[in-house]
Amino acid sequence: MKTSAKARLAAGVLALAAALTAGAALIPGERTPPVAGAPLQLVETPVSAVSLAGAIQALTTRLRRLPGDHQAWAQLGSAYVQQARLSADPSFYPKAEQALARSAALSPGNFAALTGQAALAAGRHDFTEAVRLAKLSQAANPYGQGAQAVLADAYTQLGRYGEATRAIDRLMELHPGVASFTRASYDAELRGDRTAARRMLEHALADAVSPADIAYCRHYLGELALRSGDLPGATEQYRLALQAAPDFAPALAGTARAAALDGRLDEAAGRYAAVVGRLPLAQYVIEYGEVLSAAGKDPAEQWALLRAQRELMKAAGVGDDLTWAEFEADHGSAARAVDHAEAEYARNPNVVAADALAWALHRDGRDRQALPYARKATATGWRNALLHHHRAEIERSLGLSAESKKSAARARDADPAFSPDLPALARFS
């Protein structure tokens, strides 16, 4: 590697590390100026990072005056969990754990702390533990919206789709709004019902008030259009999302995705560079690397940033074999991909993990073992071009020509703009 490239890589890793530890000042016990903070909801809703940071500062100030307020400790812990998700900063997870443990110690069995602990477990990808804690919270307060939201997400990740649907239905009964409608949309999409998925997102948009909520709903309307091959429609939704909230990085990533799938690779690379600079999520880093490769450029710096992020996530207790199963299958070692995919599927046997295991086994030359997982990945009716493409390739390798043609046709029907050369862009974000 040339010296200049090494310097850029070192600067990138340092910037990543700095970004991932930036929240260290906002802990109880340190002096920060009192500010007005937005009220914090325990149902995870797409609040902005700015309003969430304000809420954290307000709670921190309150807890300096009232250290025995167990509800404030629970709210602070939940805010740290959500801040970790918004900022891709895993250093918030240990702080969340401490705040939630303090709340539970002050008031054992309180539902707010249990809900926050369930959300924390989900953030660390321990979905079995998330279900256990959310059920305890539900028992303490049957009307708690946050516990239902965590249950819906965790059941989905565990591949228990019927239970996920029931949790979403209950959440809709308790509080029809952005959080429940967007989850209902994903539930419908997994069953292949794009019409219902779009209708649910439009309901969510109609209920959205804050710029962050509007941007969130517009972004997912864009994602739904993108996965249908409607690149102009997707681009328009991303534009409206950015109009509502100019700093909303997921919508900027959406514009990069649409540009790449439209063949405008240099434009896409420029947009991805801005996205990764703001929000270095693993998915965005991989997408950026793939776009650079497609444009004939070296993605090595992005892969190095991805590995640096993995170490920081591991240090914060986040277990993520799925990202590495997909990355190794497409860009690294097939054998390592199988190891990661088997570990992920053992913990979370959902359709995405089934697809990752099928594709890893295919890359490792084990197509007969791969086929049952490819069939499981496509069994819910989800019109996902990547999953059907993977199944078609596995069937083709096994000499199942008729079946392979049908699967390839389903992939084209699901998304005419799908590119097998940019697989990360077809993954759910």
Side-chain angles (χ1 to χ4, degrees):
M1 187 184 297
K2 294 180 180 178
T3 303
S4 60
K6 287 182 179 178
R8 288 198 304 273
L9 174 58
V13 171
L14 287 172
L16 173 64
L20 297 184
T21 55
L26 294 173
I27 56 176
E30 293 190 357
R31 290 185 179 277
T32 52
V35 297
L40 183 68
Q41 302 175 37
L42 284 175
V43 174
E44 182 187 330
T45 54
V47 298
S48 72
V50 173
S51 65
L52 196 56
I56 288 173
Q57 278 197 311
L59 287 164
T60 302
T61 301
R62 177 179 176 81
L63 286 165
R64 274 195 220 97
R65 290 188 293 108
L66 301 168
D69 185 344
H70 72 272
Q71 292 185 343
W73 281 109
Q75 288 182 319
L76 181 63
S78 295
Y80 281 143
V81 172
Q82 196 158 344
Q83 190 74 316
R85 292 169 61 89
L86 283 175
S87 64
D89 180 351
S91 72
F92 284 105
Y93 286 139
K95 289 197 278 287
E97 187 172 9
Q98 292 173 14
L100 293 164
R102 185 74 175 272
S103 175
L106 289 166
S107 178
N110 82 78
F111 84 93
L114 287 166
T115 301
Q117 289 170 328
L120 174 61
R124 285 172 160 165
H125 295 202
D126 186 350
F127 300 107
T128 299
E129 178 67 359
V131 166
R132 186 186 74 80
L133 291 164
K135 283 189 169 181
L136 289 174
S137 176
Q138 185 182 38
N141 178 13
Y143 302 99
Q145 302 160 32
Q148 290 301 321
V150 175
L151 279 174
D153 296 344
Y155 280 140
T156 299
Q157 294 298 326
L158 291 169
R160 295 161 63 175
Y161 297 113
E163 291 166 284
T165 300
R166 287 191 285 278
I168 293 167
D169 289 345
R170 177 61 177 155
L171 183 58
M172 294 276 262
E173 291 173 4
L174 291 171
H175 184 74
V178 173
S180 53
F181 286 131
T182 50
R183 285 176 170 85
S185 172
Y186 184 43
D187 189 56
E189 191 178 355
L190 283 174
R191 289 183 277 102
D193 190 344
R194 284 178 173 169
T195 301
R198 188 174 298 106
R199 186 170 64 248
M200 288 297 108
L201 285 176
E202 288 168 350
H203 287 326
L205 180 61
D207 200 63
V209 176
S210 72
D213 284 358
I214 293 169
Y216 183 84
C217 296
R218 289 288 185 192
H219 167 66
Y220 277 105
L221 280 165
E223 290 292 278
L224 192 59
L226 189 87
R227 288 192 292 275
S228 306
D230 179 8
L231 301 183
T235 301
E236 175 62 8
Q237 291 295 339
Y238 299 139
R239 185 189 69 80
L240 291 169
L242 290 168
Q243 186 179 69
D247 292 333
F248 192 64
L252 183 58
T255 65
R257 213 169 283 138
L261 292 171
D262 196 38
R264 293 177 279 126
L265 295 174
D266 288 340
E267 176 186 335
R271 291 176 184 270
Y272 273 120
V275 170
V276 170
R278 289 190 208 171
L279 189 62
L281 287 175
Q283 177 167 341
Y284 298 154
V285 175
I286 296 173
E287 289 180 26
Y288 185 20
E290 287 188 357
V291 167
L292 289 173
S293 293
K297 299 174 183 175
D298 185 0
E301 291 181 36
Q302 299 313 311
W303 300 160
L305 283 170
L306 187 68
R307 293 187 178 92
Q309 189 192 54
R310 176 174 60 175
E311 296 309 311
L312 291 168
M313 290 289 181
K314 284 172 65 176
V318 180
D320 178 13
D321 281 293
L322 179 62
T323 296
W324 288 94
E326 295 170 342
F327 175 78
E328 293 288 354
D330 288 329
H331 305 289
S333 160
R336 285 198 295 270
V338 171
D339 290 342
H340 284 295
E342 287 179 335
E344 181 70 25
Y345 188 78
R347 291 195 306 272
N348 306 311
N350 58 55
V351 293
V352 175
D355 170 70
L357 182 51
W359 192 238
L361 288 166
H362 166 73
R363 289 290 202 188
D364 203 36
R366 297 153 64 179
D367 289 298
R368 291 202 179 283
Q369 289 175 262
L371 186 57
Y373 294 105
R375 287 172 172 163
K376 176 167 182 174
T378 53
T380 67
W382 192 10
R383 299 178 65 191
N384 183 306
L386 182 66
L387 271 55
H388 288 294
H389 166 71
H390 285 168
R391 178 170 171 171
E393 290 299 299
I394 292 165
E395 289 167 335
R396 186 174 63 80
S397 295
L398 289 169
L400 303 171
S401 299
E403 290 86 343
S404 177
K405 288 179 181 177
K406 288 180 182 176
S407 294
R410 291 189 188 101
R412 288 193 298 273
D413 177 66
D415 181 0
F418 168 72
S419 170
D421 295 330
L422 298 168
L425 278 64
R427 293 197 166 98
F428 188 77
S429 65

